[in-house]
Amino acid sequence: MEIISYVQDKPKSRRLNAWIFERRGGACRQSSSITYPMFNTELRSFGAQRIKPKVSVKVTVMGIGRGISAVQEFVAHNVKKIGITLAVVAVFVAAGIGLAMVKQHFDNYTGALQLPGSDSSDIETLNKLMATFALEGAIEVDESGNLVDSVATTISYTQPVTYQNYSVRSGDTISGITRKFGLRNISTLISVNDISNVRQLGAGQKLKIPSIDGIIYTVKKGDSLESIVKKYNVKLATILDVNELNTDVLSAGQQLFIPGAAMDSKSLKEAMGELFIMPLKSKFRWSSSYGKRIDPIAGVSSFHTGTDMACPTGTPIYAAMSGTIATAGVSRVYGNYVIIEHGNGYQTLYAHMSKIIATKGQWVSQGTKIGLVGSTGYSTGPHLHFTVYKNGKMIDPMTILKK
């Protein structure tokens, strides 16, 4: 085999052409040709790939350890700078929180009432305006529960007490039923029938009507006829006759009718629904009480028509007692306000609301949401102004609120 020639096939590639000759009979003959790409001058590029380490628990733990060591080393070399930085950050954070709390306090709590303008009659207008809101209510009973139109008479209690049944009719009131049966004090029917709230009397309800005025007393352990006689200032013979007692021995749980007696003031108010709940259930601050105070503008003594409860805007306001929404509107002095007629001469005013929820004519139960605290009208901050009228006259709200 002999190499005959070398040729360049392409500019970028060199190939070796070899022809193989065979000697047969003294002559040479080309038998075949083979091309070999021996030299290739074309440049080729190769992309480098990142070596992916094997993931294992050991490698992970080692990496975490190196990271912790690096942090420890950094802290050790910069402990003073880090301490100063943290202290500065803490001071700024504390200052920010303090300023935010101060701002929130002034935003959410009213201070002394500052009426706009220089008209000194504005305060007098505020005091008189509530009087125009007050609704005339029928005075049916006095503070002791006696009917105001009844005539005081001396009654001799010598006959046993008797009872008759009565079915409550639509439109009946406790005072009307008392009058219908010739009794003088509404606490008689309340006590005998164990009525917890006269406002909840309903048509069809059955009542026991005693023949005389008085209350039911349940004997307690240790009671005696002598102690009961002394407590209610009645004669022993009267209790014996009215209750048809043949012995002075009493037993716990025994019920006696005490003729001529009446319920105590607190129990009567509770049964009459005259112990009002707080109109706010959230935390608040008493910012101004009912009665005389120094006028914030004129600097002279003035009269505050209600009590102010300072709290954040949007705090829910609730009906202090069940009743009918008599008025819901807007006033230059009281802003958004609601007045509730509770019956028996009571009305309550809720002023400076940011939003009124109740509507005129709506019946609301005690604790029904009627609006939200705001700062409308003459007000320097969000608060509830709460005023109470009874029989057309203002009274101190604290005298009717449950404590």
Side-chain angles (χ1 to χ4, degrees):
M1 180 185 296
E2 297 179 9
I3 296 177
I4 304 301
S5 65
Y6 168 79
V7 297
Q8 182 174 347
D9 296 327
K10 295 181 180 179
K12 296 182 180 180
S13 177
R14 297 181 185 273
R15 297 180 182 273
L16 176 63
N17 294 326
W19 289 269
I20 301 176
F21 294 88
E22 296 180 351
R23 293 179 179 272
R24 291 184 180 176
C28 291
R29 182 176 62 86
Q30 182 176 342
S31 64
S32 64
S33 138
I34 301 176
T35 301
Y36 297 95
M38 298 179 61
F39 304 99
N40 190 345
T41 59
E42 183 181 0
L43 297 178
R44 297 182 181 180
S45 60
F46 299 90
Q49 297 182 353
R50 179 176 296 177
I51 299 176
K52 297 181 180 179
K54 294 183 178 179
V55 178
S56 65
V57 175
K58 180 178 180 181
V59 172
T60 302
V61 172
M62 290 176 64
I64 294 174
R66 284 193 294 270
I68 295 174
S69 298
V71 172
Q72 290 176 339
E73 184 178 355
F74 175 80
V75 172
H77 285 83
N78 299 276
V79 62
K80 186 175 181 180
K81 293 180 180 179
I82 293 174
I84 295 174
T85 302
L86 291 177
V88 171
V89 171
V91 170
F92 275 101
V93 171
I97 294 175
L99 289 174
M101 292 177 65
V102 171
K103 182 179 184 300
Q104 183 183 30
H105 175 81
F106 285 104
D107 286 345
N108 291 338
Y109 293 94
T110 181
L113 183 64
Q114 298 292 333
L115 303 183
S118 58
D119 186 1
S120 60
S121 66
D122 279 342
I123 296 178
E124 186 66 22
T125 300
L126 186 148
N127 290 338
K128 290 181 178 179
L129 188 56
M130 183 60 216
T132 66
F133 289 160
L135 307 175
E136 292 296 332
I139 304 174
E140 297 180 332
V141 298
D142 62 18
E143 296 295 329
S144 299
N146 294 313
L147 298 176
V148 294
D149 57 356
S150 63
V151 179
T153 57
T154 301
I155 301 176
S156 177
Y157 301 107
T158 57
Q159 298 298 318
V161 61
T162 59
Y163 298 93
Q164 58 182 306
N165 296 322
Y166 177 74
S167 181
V168 177
R169 300 173 183 175
S170 178
D172 274 346
T173 62
I174 195 70
S175 57
I177 299 172
T178 300
R179 184 180 292 106
K180 181 182 292 187
F181 288 92
L183 302 174
R184 294 184 56 249
N185 196 298
I186 62 172
S187 64
T188 297
L189 296 184
I190 293 173
S191 174
V192 170
N193 294 279
D194 194 22
I195 299 173
S196 59
N197 191 332
V198 298
R199 299 175 188 272
Q200 297 176 355
L201 280 178
Q205 185 173 344
K206 303 296 184 181
L207 297 180
K208 289 174 59 178
I209 312 296
S211 56
I212 54 178
D213 276 300
I215 63 173
I216 296 294
Y217 177 78
T218 302
V219 177
K220 300 179 179 62
K221 185 178 181 180
D223 279 341
S224 65
L225 280 177
E226 289 75 15
S227 64
I228 295 173
V229 165
K230 184 177 180 180
K231 179 177 181 178
Y232 289 102
N233 192 27
V234 294
K235 295 180 180 180
L236 176 60
T238 298
I239 292 182
L240 293 173
D241 290 341
V242 168
N243 291 279
E244 296 184 289
L245 296 178
N246 298 319
T247 177
D248 59 358
V249 178
L250 302 177
S251 57
Q254 182 180 353
Q255 290 191 330
L256 300 177
F257 186 87
I258 311 299
M263 297 172 63
D264 63 87
S265 178
K266 182 179 179 181
S267 298
L268 181 59
K269 281 186 175 182
E270 187 170 2
M272 288 293 292
E274 295 182 358
L275 286 182
F276 291 52
I277 65 170
M278 285 289 183
L280 298 178
K281 298 180 182 180
S282 302
K283 183 179 179 181
F284 66 89
R285 175 174 61 87
W286 298 105
S287 59
S288 187
S289 58
Y290 172 85
K292 290 185 177 181
R293 66 175 181 178
I294 301 301
D295 187 295
I297 295 178
V300 297
S301 178
S302 66
F303 194 88
H304 189 219
T305 60
T307 185
D308 290 342
M309 307 175 192
C311 54
T313 297
T315 300
I317 300 171
Y318 303 92
M321 177 52 65
S322 59
T324 302
I325 304 297
T327 306
V330 182
S331 161
R332 187 174 69 91
V333 176
Y334 288 112
N336 296 322
Y337 69 89
V338 167
I339 297 177
I340 301 179
E341 167 64 43
H342 302 289
N344 199 29
Y346 280 102
Q347 298 91 27
T348 52
L349 164 75
Y350 311 78
H352 306 301
M353 295 180 174
S354 61
K355 181 179 180 181
I356 297 174
I357 297 177
T359 58
K360 183 177 180 179
Q362 176 186 353
W363 168 263
V364 293
S365 300
Q366 186 179 59
T368 299
K369 186 189 297 185
I370 60 174
L372 304 177
V373 169
S375 187
T376 56
Y378 283 162
S379 171
T380 58
H383 72 287
L384 169 65
H385 176 91
F386 181 62
T387 296
V388 180
Y389 265 67
K390 183 174 184 183
N391 301 324
K393 296 182 180 180
M394 284 184 294
I395 64 173
D396 186 349
M398 300 306 296
T399 62
I400 55 93
L401 290 171
K402 287 184 179 180
K403 300 178 177 61

